Amino acid sequence: MVPLSWYIILSSVMFSIGVFGFLTRRNLLIIFISIELMLNSVNISFVAFSHYLQSMRGQIMVFFVITVAAAEAAIGLAILIAYYKNNPTIRVDEINLLKG
Amino acid sequence: MLKYTLIPLLPFISFIINILFGRNYIKDKAHWIAVPAVAGSFVLAVSAFFDVLGGHDVNINLYSWIASGDFTVSVGLLIDQLSAIMLIVVTSIGTLIFIYSIGYMHGDGGYYRFFAYLSLFVFSMLMLVMGNNFLVMYFGWEAVGLCSYFLIGFWFHKKSAGDAGKKAFIVNRFGDFGFGLGVILIYLTFGSLEYMQVFDKAGSIAGQTINLLGYDVSLVTLICLLLFCGAVGKSAQIPLHVWLPDAMEGPTPVSALIHAATMVTAGVFMVARCNPLFSMSPVAMNTVAVIGGLTAIFAATIALVQNDIKRVIAYSTVSQLGYMFLALGVGAYSAGIFHLYTHAYFKALLFLGSGSVIHALHHAGHHDEQNMQKMGGLKKHMPITYKVFVLATLSITGIPFFSGFFSKDEILWRAYLGGDLGKFLWFLGALAALLTAFYSWRLIFLTFHGTFRGTHEQEHHIHESPPVITVPLMFLAFGAVFAGYVGVPPIFLKHGDKIGEFLAPVLGHPAGHGTHAEEIFVILVSIAVAVGGWLIAYKMYIKSTELPQKMENRFQWIHKVLFNKYYIDELYSKTLIHPVLKASDKIILGFDTYVIEGIVNGVPNLIGAFSRKFREIQTGMLSNYALVMAIGAVCIVGIWIFLK
């Protein structure tokens, strides 16, 4: 049986990769994927803890997270497309109109 | 009670209506409100006068104005013999001048404004004379000054008029500063500002002294001199007389009402009102008398050579006010008030007459309409104005049995009785009377006799003023001739001095008695100087008209000094105005620019600079925000973990 700590380590690694990607990449699509990566790392730890604690609560949370992630992806992609129609770029360092 | 309240209230209502609705609605019908209001005041004032005559004085508190601890002041009215006479003078002359203004100001763009300010002035003047305590008097005192400022600068688009208004206001500030201190000192001394309480307690401070800059000064003298400061400013006595001649920049009805008949006599009224205090201080009395006597002669000498018709009359006013103070100073309060009363009629008449001349010349297209050297021969064009002018001049020069004769003679007689100083002042007064006669007749001869010194075209267009102007002149002429008959000296008519008897309860009887021979001597001297002045003027301006020019060349420097009013304005400009302006410049440059503006501009500049730096955080770069967010999240979690 795989010990709990392995799941936690996997989850942490995935989350860190997600954060790293989120901070360093300039392509908006990659940033979205990074966000998905972070959300899913959280899902993994939820499921792991759910199994470890013999409780269904964690798995219920996972469904919520998946739902939110789906909605977020839908809205995010919609904004992205709308923006691309006006400004043919998806590089975030070029999307900088909101500066002081 | 309502009757007495309405006396000042009617003009005030007229002011409110005219100032609020005049510009858009009333316009050139302003007199339909103002004239009935002041005429109503006049009727009520006459009724109040008869109440007082019937022994029914009024002293009512209308409402409590200030109540702070022990300090209580009411707005209250006091109508006794003194204020009753003032009421009659103010409202009767006010009514005539309001009517006159209908004609004089006709077609002026500020017609409604003129009547509004004039109404406000009458209200303020009535409050000044009717108040029953010093604070109400002070209110009226300042309010008439304000109205005077408004009306001198009535034609404010003319720079000289605006300057004259400012000058009047600022010069009066010097006097009013003293007056204000005097009122405060009265409160500190007596614990009250009501006339009755103050005058009742006046005896208790005799001999008290107050330490002032290391010197012990008599308290009552100090109070009186401070009050007199105010009178010097308001009544244009030396050394604060400089504003009155310049005040002639205002419309002529204003000169007549404010700067001849009423406001400038407020100082005389105030000293007379405070006679219980003044009588206790010989020093203050002598100061009043000497200032008055000197002003009388000083202003008369300037008037000798002026060419502006209104300025001559203005200096004449200063000189006559000097007479009144001379009377007050020798203890003849009722004589001072008597002269105030007669002077109001003949001086208002002189001003309105000159206004009639100016009005006619202005409409004839004359450009130098106040310069007497450019007039002459107006007698045949303006017969009514000429006649009333002569009557007023006969009165002011003190020709027997015109009203000015009675009052002026009373003053000279009382001065004559006042010891050595009195004799000296009598001499000054008699000399001033000679000068008065001379310059008054000079004015008439230059204006109305001889030949017209303008163009033919202008002469053709000179007409007598309309009845709305001449009828008030005739009423005033009646006053100028007969007003004095309330004060016939006992030497002519036993119990003839009605006004002296009437005022005695307030002002007391003047001290000193002389023989009949002395009195006749004084009267003869008065008559001699009045006739003498006329003869000299006749000789110089009718008989040998080249004589004035000759004299001017002969006594060039005297003429120059007099013509330039003893260079007093220049002196003030050099010693006071210039240094103050210079110092202000320095202050503006140093303190204002660097300190005040430094603070005012520095604060926003600092905030601006700070925010300019601070808003650079908003880069617009999504990844920067994300980084900050991530760091923040890490920090929060870190704190949460490590502080747990």
Short mmCIF file of all heavy atoms in Angstrom, two decimals, chain B residues 198-217:
data_model
loop_
_atom_site.label_atom_id
_atom_site.label_comp_id
_atom_site.label_asym_id
_atom_site.label_seq_id
_atom_site.Cartn_x
_atom_site.Cartn_y
_atom_site.Cartn_z
N VAL B 198 -24.68 103.91 32.92
CA VAL B 198 -23.33 104.47 32.86
C VAL B 198 -23.32 105.89 33.40
O VAL B 198 -22.50 106.25 34.24
CB VAL B 198 -22.80 104.43 31.41
CG1 VAL B 198 -21.51 105.22 31.30
CG2 VAL B 198 -22.59 103.00 30.97
N PHE B 199 -24.28 106.71 32.94
CA PHE B 199 -24.25 108.12 33.33
C PHE B 199 -24.61 108.27 34.81
O PHE B 199 -24.12 109.18 35.48
CB PHE B 199 -25.18 108.94 32.45
CG PHE B 199 -24.77 108.91 30.99
CD1 PHE B 199 -25.70 109.06 29.98
CD2 PHE B 199 -23.43 108.73 30.65
CE1 PHE B 199 -25.30 109.03 28.65
CE2 PHE B 199 -23.04 108.70 29.32
CZ PHE B 199 -23.98 108.84 28.32
N ASP B 200 -25.47 107.38 35.33
CA ASP B 200 -25.77 107.43 36.75
C ASP B 200 -24.53 107.17 37.59
O ASP B 200 -24.33 107.77 38.64
CB ASP B 200 -26.86 106.40 37.10
CG ASP B 200 -28.23 106.91 36.70
OD1 ASP B 200 -28.32 108.10 36.36
OD2 ASP B 200 -29.19 106.12 36.70
N LYS B 201 -23.71 106.23 37.12
CA LYS B 201 -22.53 105.86 37.91
C LYS B 201 -21.33 106.75 37.60
O LYS B 201 -20.27 106.56 38.19
CB LYS B 201 -22.14 104.41 37.60
CG LYS B 201 -23.09 103.38 38.19
CD LYS B 201 -22.49 102.00 37.94
CE LYS B 201 -23.57 100.94 37.84
NZ LYS B 201 -23.13 99.77 37.11
N ALA B 202 -21.50 107.67 36.63
CA ALA B 202 -20.34 108.43 36.17
C ALA B 202 -19.63 109.12 37.32
O ALA B 202 -18.39 109.15 37.37
CB ALA B 202 -20.77 109.46 35.13
N GLY B 203 -20.39 109.65 38.26
CA GLY B 203 -19.79 110.38 39.37
C GLY B 203 -18.84 109.53 40.20
O GLY B 203 -17.88 110.04 40.78
N SER B 204 -19.09 108.21 40.22
CA SER B 204 -18.32 107.36 41.12
C SER B 204 -16.88 107.16 40.66
O SER B 204 -16.05 106.69 41.43
CB SER B 204 -19.01 106.00 41.25
OG SER B 204 -18.98 105.36 39.99
N ILE B 205 -16.57 107.49 39.41
CA ILE B 205 -15.19 107.24 38.97
C ILE B 205 -14.36 108.51 38.96
O ILE B 205 -13.23 108.51 38.48
CB ILE B 205 -15.15 106.58 37.57
CG1 ILE B 205 -15.75 107.50 36.52
CG2 ILE B 205 -15.82 105.24 37.58
CD1 ILE B 205 -15.30 107.15 35.12
N ALA B 206 -14.91 109.59 39.47
CA ALA B 206 -14.13 110.83 39.51
C ALA B 206 -12.85 110.59 40.30
O ALA B 206 -12.87 109.99 41.37
CB ALA B 206 -14.95 111.94 40.15
N GLY B 207 -11.74 111.03 39.76
CA GLY B 207 -10.48 110.91 40.47
C GLY B 207 -9.80 109.56 40.31
O GLY B 207 -8.65 109.40 40.69
N GLN B 208 -10.49 108.57 39.76
CA GLN B 208 -9.84 107.28 39.56
C GLN B 208 -8.81 107.39 38.45
O GLN B 208 -9.00 108.11 37.47
CB GLN B 208 -10.87 106.22 39.15
CG GLN B 208 -11.57 105.60 40.33
CD GLN B 208 -12.38 104.39 39.89
OE1 GLN B 208 -11.95 103.62 39.06
NE2 GLN B 208 -13.56 104.25 40.46
N THR B 209 -7.73 106.67 38.61
CA THR B 209 -6.71 106.69 37.56
C THR B 209 -6.47 105.27 37.07
O THR B 209 -6.84 104.29 37.72
CB THR B 209 -5.38 107.27 38.07
OG1 THR B 209 -4.97 106.48 39.18
CG2 THR B 209 -5.53 108.70 38.46
N ILE B 210 -5.86 105.19 35.94
CA ILE B 210 -5.56 103.90 35.34
C ILE B 210 -4.13 103.96 34.86
O ILE B 210 -3.68 105.01 34.37
CB ILE B 210 -6.55 103.58 34.19
CG1 ILE B 210 -6.31 102.18 33.65
CG2 ILE B 210 -6.47 104.59 33.09
CD1 ILE B 210 -7.42 101.74 32.72
N ASN B 211 -3.40 102.86 35.09
CA ASN B 211 -1.98 102.87 34.71
C ASN B 211 -1.83 102.51 33.25
O ASN B 211 -2.21 101.42 32.82
CB ASN B 211 -1.22 101.89 35.60
CG ASN B 211 0.26 102.16 35.53
OD1 ASN B 211 0.86 101.99 34.49
ND2 ASN B 211 0.82 102.61 36.64
N LEU B 212 -1.28 103.45 32.51
CA LEU B 212 -1.15 103.23 31.07
C LEU B 212 0.30 103.44 30.69
O LEU B 212 0.82 104.54 30.79
CB LEU B 212 -2.04 104.23 30.33
CG LEU B 212 -2.35 103.91 28.88
CD1 LEU B 212 -3.28 102.73 28.77
CD2 LEU B 212 -2.98 105.12 28.21
N LEU B 213 0.99 102.38 30.31
CA LEU B 213 2.41 102.45 29.92
C LEU B 213 3.24 103.15 30.99
O LEU B 213 4.13 103.93 30.68
CB LEU B 213 2.56 103.20 28.59
CG LEU B 213 1.78 102.65 27.40
CD1 LEU B 213 1.91 103.58 26.21
CD2 LEU B 213 2.28 101.27 27.02
N GLY B 214 2.91 102.88 32.24
CA GLY B 214 3.72 103.45 33.31
C GLY B 214 3.27 104.82 33.78
O GLY B 214 3.83 105.35 34.73
N TYR B 215 2.27 105.43 33.11
CA TYR B 215 1.77 106.72 33.56
C TYR B 215 0.40 106.53 34.17
O TYR B 215 -0.39 105.72 33.69
CB TYR B 215 1.66 107.71 32.40
CG TYR B 215 2.98 108.07 31.79
CD1 TYR B 215 3.43 107.41 30.66
CD2 TYR B 215 3.78 109.07 32.35
CE1 TYR B 215 4.66 107.72 30.09
CE2 TYR B 215 5.00 109.38 31.79
CZ TYR B 215 5.44 108.72 30.67
OH TYR B 215 6.64 109.04 30.11
N ASP B 216 0.12 107.28 35.21
CA ASP B 216 -1.23 107.26 35.77
C ASP B 216 -2.08 108.27 35.02
O ASP B 216 -1.78 109.45 35.01
CB ASP B 216 -1.20 107.59 37.26
CG ASP B 216 -0.77 106.37 38.06
OD1 ASP B 216 -1.00 105.25 37.56
OD2 ASP B 216 -0.22 106.54 39.15
N VAL B 217 -3.14 107.75 34.37
CA VAL B 217 -3.99 108.62 33.58
C VAL B 217 -5.37 108.60 34.22
O VAL B 217 -5.83 107.56 34.68
CB VAL B 217 -4.11 108.10 32.13
CG1 VAL B 217 -4.82 109.12 31.27
CG2 VAL B 217 -2.74 107.78 31.57
#
